[in-house]
């Protein structure tokens, strides 16, 4: 692929195929930990690390892993990477480990990682898979950071734990609660659709035929 193609691979994860605001994947942890920007960055980086490692290994072994057992192989690999990330975070960022709680090990169930493994890494070179992982990881991190920044700034009057002058007296407490997460999430999706005029992605590009989970639910899955 040429440089422009590689740039396209990287940027599509940020805009056209943003995993949170366009593909609507991995929403449970996004809404749960996006009450503070610090937690959002932590979860975004941890997810990106796992995504990068999974893409590299799966791309390297794509011609070795038997087709019939590729999903179990993905599960074992991703679970191992998540366990590694969990130990690193617990050892060097214990407060973040406590803040993320159960949602750190649940990265192992994140649809974003399984989707990229099956849709991209399983069919492309290591180099392009690395670029794809970095683009998708950045898109995921930016999306959750945007949600968290709005919720923290207008819900608590702070950002990354620091007081924001002028916002301390206009707090909207509901933004720090679950309903507030859905409100901000919905507004950002509407904004993305408005900016892209509803053409951020074509629905036919992401149906059951390209979903790794479809193998489990009995609706086919990528071949």
């Amino acid at each position: 692929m040429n440089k422009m193609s590689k740039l396209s691979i990287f940027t599509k994860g940020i805009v056209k195929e943003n995993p949170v605001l366009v593909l609507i994947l991995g929403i449970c942890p996004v809404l749960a930990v996006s009450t503070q920007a610090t937690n959002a960055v932590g979860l975004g980086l941890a997810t990106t690390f796992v995504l990068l490692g999974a893409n590299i290994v799966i791309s390297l072994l794509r011609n070795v892993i038997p087709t019939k057992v590729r999903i179990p192989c993905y599960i074992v690999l991703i679970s191992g990477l998540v366990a590694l990330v969990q130990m690193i975070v617990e050892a060097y960022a214990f407060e973040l480990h406590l803040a993320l709680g159960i949602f750190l090990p649940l990265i192992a169930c994140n649809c974003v990682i399984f989707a990229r493994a099956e849709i991209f890494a399983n069919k492309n070179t290591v180099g392009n898979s690395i670029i794809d992982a970095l683009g998708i990881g950045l898109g995921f991190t930016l999306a959750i950071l945007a949600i968290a920044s709005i919720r923290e700034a207008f819900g608590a009057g702070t950002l990354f734990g620091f007081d924001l002058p002028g916002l301390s007296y206009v707090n909207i407490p509901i933004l720090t609660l679950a309903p507030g997460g859905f409100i901000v999430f919905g507004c950002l999706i509407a904004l993305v659709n408005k900016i892209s005029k509803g053409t951020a992605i074509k629905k036919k590009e992401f149906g059951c035929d390209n979903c790794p989970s479809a193998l489990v639910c009995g609706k086919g899955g990528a071949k």
Side-chain angles (χ1 to χ4, degrees):
M1 289 188 177
N2 54 40
K3 291 184 179 180
M4 196 63 183
S5 297
K6 292 184 182 298
L7 178 61
S8 177
I9 292 173
F10 179 76
T11 57
K12 70 181 181 181
I14 302 174
V15 183
K16 183 181 178 182
E17 296 180 15
N18 186 284
V20 177
L21 301 178
V22 177
L23 302 184
I24 322 296
L25 296 175
I27 302 307
C28 182
V30 167
L31 295 180
V33 307
S34 61
T35 53
Q36 292 188 330
T38 303
N39 297 345
V41 173
L43 180 64
L45 293 178
T47 303
T48 300
F49 178 85
V50 175
L51 180 61
L52 180 61
N55 268 22
I56 291 174
V57 176
I58 290 170
S59 181
L60 284 171
L61 302 178
R62 68 185 189 279
N63 296 322
V64 177
I65 300 175
T67 301
K68 293 184 178 180
V69 297
R70 67 181 186 276
I71 300 302
C73 289
Y74 296 168
I75 294 173
V76 173
L77 169 63
I78 294 171
S79 298
L81 289 171
V82 171
L84 175 61
V85 169
Q86 188 176 5
M87 288 188 289
I88 293 174
V89 173
E90 185 175 4
Y92 297 101
F94 189 68
E95 290 186 3
L96 178 61
H97 171 75
L98 293 178
L100 296 181
I102 188 61
F103 295 102
L104 185 58
L106 281 180
I107 292 176
C109 304
N110 197 316
C111 297
V112 176
I113 300 172
F114 282 95
R116 300 322 296 176
E118 179 66 10
I119 295 172
F120 197 92
N122 188 46
K123 302 177 178 66
N124 290 274
T125 64
V126 175
N128 287 337
S129 296
I130 291 175
I131 295 173
D132 176 75
L134 293 176
I136 293 291
L138 179 58
F140 180 86
T141 303
L142 291 177
I144 187 175
L145 178 59
I147 296 173
S149 296
I150 294 173
R151 294 181 67 187
E152 182 180 357
F154 293 97
T158 63
L159 188 61
F160 289 100
F162 297 99
D163 291 334
L164 293 176
L167 288 180
S168 58
Y169 62 91
V170 292
N171 292 352
I172 308 174
I174 192 174
L175 293 181
T176 62
L177 304 176
F182 282 100
I183 292 171
V184 174
F185 178 53
C187 289
L188 287 179
I189 291 177
L191 179 61
V192 169
N193 285 336
K194 179 65 176 179
I195 294 174
S196 66
K197 297 181 180 179
T199 60
I201 192 171
K202 297 178 181 178
K203 291 183 180 180
K204 66 180 181 180
E205 296 177 4
F206 285 86
C208 288
D209 289 339
N210 286 321
C211 175
S213 298
L215 293 174
V216 178
C217 70
K219 293 189 177 182
K223 295 179 173 58

